[in-house]
Amino acid sequence: MTYIIDIETTGLDRHTDRINLVGIMDLETGQMFQAESKEEYLKLHTDLGLEYNDCVFHNAKFDTEFLRYQYQVDFKSVLDTMIMFYLYNPYRKFYALKGLVADLFKVKYDVSTEVKTGTSEEMKQYNKQDLQYTGLLYQFLVSRLSEKEVKLSKFLAKIDLVYSKITEKGVLLDRHLCTERLAELEKKLETLSEEIKKQTGDINLNSPKQLGAALFSKLGYEPKKKTAKGEWSLDTDALKSYGTDLTDKLVEYRKLSKIISSFFVPYQGKDTVHPIFRVTGEAGGGGTVSGRTSCSKPNLQQLPRGPMVRNLLRVPSDEWYFFEIDYSQMELRCAGQIAQVKALIDAYREGRDVHTETAKFMTGKEEITDEDRFQAKAANFGLIYGMGAEGFVDYARNGYGVTVSLEQAKKIREDYFKRYPELHGFYKSIDNSLKNYGYVENPIGRRRRVYGNWKADLLSYRNTVVQGFASDLLVLSLLEVSEMPRYGQDFYVVGTVHDSILGYVRKDKMETLGEIAAIMENPKYAREMMEGKWFDLPIKADVSVFEERWYGKKVKYE
């Protein structure tokens, strides 16, 4: 049995607002039920077997959290048409029910906020319309998604709830250190500004027009690329391409400005921050096209590496350590598995350093310098998706600070694909899938359907298959970790960053971290989605433990 469920509330806060009405529709028969009280709902919940049957919501996180908190009920099998539509079309910015209904079924309906939060007959009729159109949307999506995508959507609905609880609890912030570091950075920014203006004159460094006039007209810099509007670009990549003392300082100025405005000013005086994580599209903002988890307010994934900002996140007391468990070279492992790259599979099986192996092949040397390895690292992460030589020149410079000429880039690219020839087969399979089926699919079953001119966006589709796979492995691991018996007591998670899980662990329960790493290296829900197929190479999760704060003094972990 499948039931559609929709609730009406007096507001958005489940702690202070209340449920006015719960509507339920039997999808097969169309029969509707409405409960105006907790007692009425609990009887329906039991009589209809809602705890165990498939229950479909639009924005399940909102409705189920209200119902769990106020009515103390649970649901074993939740489907969310918001999540399902995101899997079907991740390109939309908004996934609110009314917008989807208007676009798909050419129907517009709504009532005032006063009606929605009241108890009138008009509100009850409105609730029935929500049930009806959620049901139609569900049927539309089930007919277009694969069985694996529908199954994945059930996991994502659970993961959305895990992230919601992480957001509600938040992560502790050292507000005194935040104030001290802000003062240091503002002083550094002021000094940098003065040094830059000695060459540009007294201009507004945040004004592209004034900066462009200073660089191109006054100082004689040659413009290199244009924006989409046809104006000369002064973005960070363009500035880095000049490689002068002035442009390097401008890049540093922008970096510091961004850090100050994004991670220090908004959180002054706060003891806790509540990052919002999304694995899906959500009303008011989208997730990512590739399926990677997004984060905001603040975006932990954009925190600069090193202690300057990461030190601000602290533990609750001296009874706890801060931990980070990070997948090692996950994109390369996923790409190696999907493309069945023999040299990568062999290297990981034998425990050899892939960047060193790539460097040895590209240089022909047995003794590799740090510079050789760093260049190979840029090649591994830049060329894995088939980037061209010109693109690699920019990628190596902007991403790794490695300067290579176009001729060097061509040679590096040629050597790289001699080392990993199977990647060409992977690219061809992506092209064929887009051409013949209109989508690409990762090993978990997540698909990205064609949108626009896919030939002009090939790198992105290749990237989706690999990055989306890595992200799915992480969030499915997170779901399993959240179900561990001592979760919330011996340890708890405060967030995820790219391929890592962050959290607090009690000092006398460090063995728990090994259990988390073991789950990440062999996640049962990912295996279930992959239907028995698994990696031909080992997945590795590295454990780091810190005293007092993230990137604090390292604690020995074995």
Side-chain angles (χ1 to χ4, degrees), residues 365-381:
K365 300 187 303 186
E366 277 301 313
E367 295 298 322
I368 297 301
T369 65
D370 289 343
E371 185 178 350
D372 293 332
R373 187 183 181 280
F374 206 55
Q375 189 178 85
K377 184 176 182 179
N380 278 332
F381 288 114

Side-chain angles (χ1 to χ4, degrees), residues 99-115:
L100 295 178
V101 169
D103 290 347
L104 293 175
F105 309 126
K106 310 305 177 189
V107 174
K108 292 185 178 180
Y109 75 100
D110 206 353
V111 293
S112 68
T113 302
E114 183 179 0
V115 170

